[in-house]
Amino acid sequence: MATARLSQRVGAGGGSIIGGRVTLALDPGALRRLASGREIVLVSGTNGKTTTSHLLAAAMRSTGSVAHNASGSNMPDGAVAALAQDRDARFAVIEVDELYLAVVADAVDPAVIVLLNLSRDQLDRGAEVRSVAAALSAALIRRPRMTVVANADDPMVVWAAAPAHRVTWVSVGSGWSSDTMTCPRCGRSLDTTVKRWQCGCGLARPTASWTARDGAVHTTGRRVAVRLRLPGAFNLGNAVMAIAAAAELGVDPHQAAAALAEIEQIAGRYKIIRHGRHEVRLLLAKNPAGWAETIGLLDEAKALLVVVNARDADGRDTSWLWDVGFEDLRSAAVMACGERAADLGLRLSYADIPHTTVEDPLAALDLLPPGKVDIVANYTAFHQLRRRIGRGIG
Amino acid sequence: MLLPDVLGTYSDAGNALILAQRARWRGVRTRVLDITATTVPPASCDIYLLGGGEDGAQVFAADWLARYPALRHAMSTTAVTLAVCAGLQILGQSMSDRTGHTYSGLGLLDFTTIAGRRRAVGEVLSTCTIPGVGQLTGFENHQGISTTGDDLPPLGWVTRGVGNGTADRSGHRGDGACTGRIIGTYLHGPVLARNPALADHILKQATGQPMPPLDLPDQRAVRRTYLPTRHPTSRGTPATDARISSVDVSQHRGVVDSGSDLAGKTIRRAP
Ligand SMILES: [Zn+2]
């Protein structure tokens, strides 16, 4: 498949993020031709886009055939590969890197864009979060017939999506906020409470028509239970975004929720793998927001292996480790691994977390007593691990 | 920590944690205050920290600081200040954005910044102008081009990367600025995580006490990662070369180690 070849060439494992490249290397005409005549949903944001696009693809499959870049290859070439592979599919669910969303939207004329969140990730790719949001906003205004399904709890998303012609607001109830404590519009410090946020300039949390709460989605007087096999409040939020987006394309929320209940792993994430003497669960967390959600999923009785790389696709700067609340780790044993094991080990030292630093994650695994292990890896580290221990899954 | 809510984009808040821990490990009691935008900043702190942030946040932070003359007075007379990136620019005379609009800084440093054409993104190495601190390593990510006044030394002389982006008369390129009380730099990382000698210099200045050596195995490995090696690389050497270090916090908490390995296991396995 074209995606795999391209990914190998840029050395980013299953994905293909190249520093700062925001123009289409491929012919935009190819993307336009492959997209024409079908209903396309683009899923973007900093965290959760792979999970949400998988959930949405499952929901859409309950009504018709769906093309989907399931490998998480979220550059324009990944979109081309997915559309080319499944030429007859009526729907397409395409995960798109947030830096590329504007160019891909211009090429494929999507029916719906799902905008999950915008926080700091790989700042060294040369874009500030606010500039990314501004470019997105301009792209949304250009498409009057398109609906944006957007996270009402994220001020940066609201600032980007509010000028769009049609917006469906979703409250995902997420906890992470420290990137967006200043107003994206005017730079003032935001007035935030648990449920609402607002700024003196008038930017405020819009009223949501879909809300994730207590294991269910609430919309216009209805309550639809969402029973996920995927863990965490964050994934409930992702599921509600998927259900709201599917509803825009005519899928009943009950039917969508039933389809989501079947899913137990997303491209290798959350899947439990037997590896030698250990039962390993693989999790992906690549920035402070992702970690804020992940720490709550960790099993305190298990050993924890954290794997951090700093390749182009991860961001070369490891500063973000200092915004992760490692102080809250309660795992039975902690191993600091990956190509930036030393940076991580140092961060854990300052957090007073006893740990062992071993670059090679599999060597670290060997040092742990037999039993259950949670592994949390960032982007390229996760893909390396999947190749080494996760063969045949996902 | 001043305005962690506004100037919190580049994880520079880690500098506060590092100073607090390094002080605690030497038996010095510390308290870290997060002074957010809705708080009146106290003028009685020993150390003030300012981090990096995006353009709009920077202008807001400059206005906010200008409202508190007592804080400004403390920074220039009694306290020690570490200011990073946008925080550094704010303490200077002025800064101009990409549209050419100029904003005033606090004027604590003879330091002027204009917007460059390209973003400087990547690893930086410099030789610190503070005696005994040695080489500094960090990650820069900014678009500022800064000029220091003739009497203001930079924090370091750049050997790799951009830093201030300007050279002095003899062609030496500096990063940041350094007075007796104010240390400014473009380096993230956070800068004190990668450069413990700079952290201890700040603590010494703030407490007036010596800071005995403190050895963290991961710290040495981090320095090895980012500083050029003096020896040829030992790639391809057998399994004894690479490293496993164990940190049992109960062992080193409060303990001053005189430079020996904390937990001396050393094994390497080639990936
Ligand atoms: Zn505002």
Side-chain angles (χ1 to χ4, degrees), chain A residues 183 185-186 199 201:
Chain A
C183 176
R185 185 195 279 164
C186 72
C199 177
C201 76

Side-chain angles (χ1 to χ4, degrees), chain A residues 29-199:
Chain A
L31 204 46
R32 191 170 298 119
R33 282 192 300 279
L34 286 164
S36 82
R38 30 185 169 187
E39 296 202 85
I40 303 215
V41 187
L42 303 181
V43 179
S44 198
T46 312
N47 286 304
K49 50 188 178 286
T50 300
T51 298
T52 305
S53 70
H54 273 259
L55 295 173
L56 178 56
M60 297 311 300
R61 270 188 209 106
S62 64
T63 41
S65 54
V66 181
H68 174 215
N69 52 344
S71 69
S73 181
N74 58 27
M75 299 286 127
D77 49 340
V80 166
L83 291 168
Q85 196 186 26
D86 227 332
R87 283 173 185 268
D88 301 323
R90 181 179 148 208
F91 300 107
V93 174
I94 307 291
E95 170 190 344
V96 186
D97 180 274
E98 60 275 25
L99 295 188
Y100 291 81
L101 183 58
V103 280
V104 172
D106 283 341
V108 305
D109 193 18
V112 178
I113 283 185
V114 180
L115 202 47
L116 298 166
N117 45 60
L118 290 169
S119 73
R120 177 168 40 116
D121 182 44
Q122 308 161 22
L123 270 174
D124 64 334
R125 287 201 291 176
E128 296 182 328
V129 181
R130 196 178 172 280
S131 347
V132 173
L136 265 178
S137 202
L140 299 181
I141 294 166
R142 287 197 288 274
R143 318 219 74 81
R145 287 177 307 127
M146 181 185 72
T147 300
V148 186
V149 175
N151 179 357
D153 297 327
D154 184 326
M156 196 61 80
V157 165
V158 171
W159 182 64
H165 299 260
R166 300 181 199 192
V167 188
T168 298
W169 296 110
V170 180
S171 172
V172 299
S174 182
W176 170 259
S177 62
S178 76
D179 271 0
T180 43
M181 287 171 66
T182 54
C183 176
R185 185 195 279 164
C186 72
R188 267 183 279 185
S189 160
L190 281 177
D191 176 9
T192 52
T193 62
V194 180
K195 284 280 161 213
R196 269 188 68 81
W197 52 264
Q198 61 188 8
C199 177

Side-chain angles (χ1 to χ4, degrees), chain A residues 3 5-13 15-26 73-78 97 99-100 122 124-127 311-316 379-380:
Chain A
T3 320
R5 269 203 313 280
L6 281 166
S7 299
Q8 276 166 12
R9 203 180 305 152
V10 300
S16 44
I17 303 170
I18 307 168
R21 186 191 72 173
V22 283
T23 53
L24 271 181
L26 295 150
S73 181
N74 58 27
M75 299 286 127
D77 49 340
D97 180 274
L99 295 188
Y100 291 81
Q122 308 161 22
D124 64 334
R125 287 201 291 176
R311 299 184 177 209
D312 279 346
D314 303 306
R316 291 275 174 191
Y379 192 79
T380 67

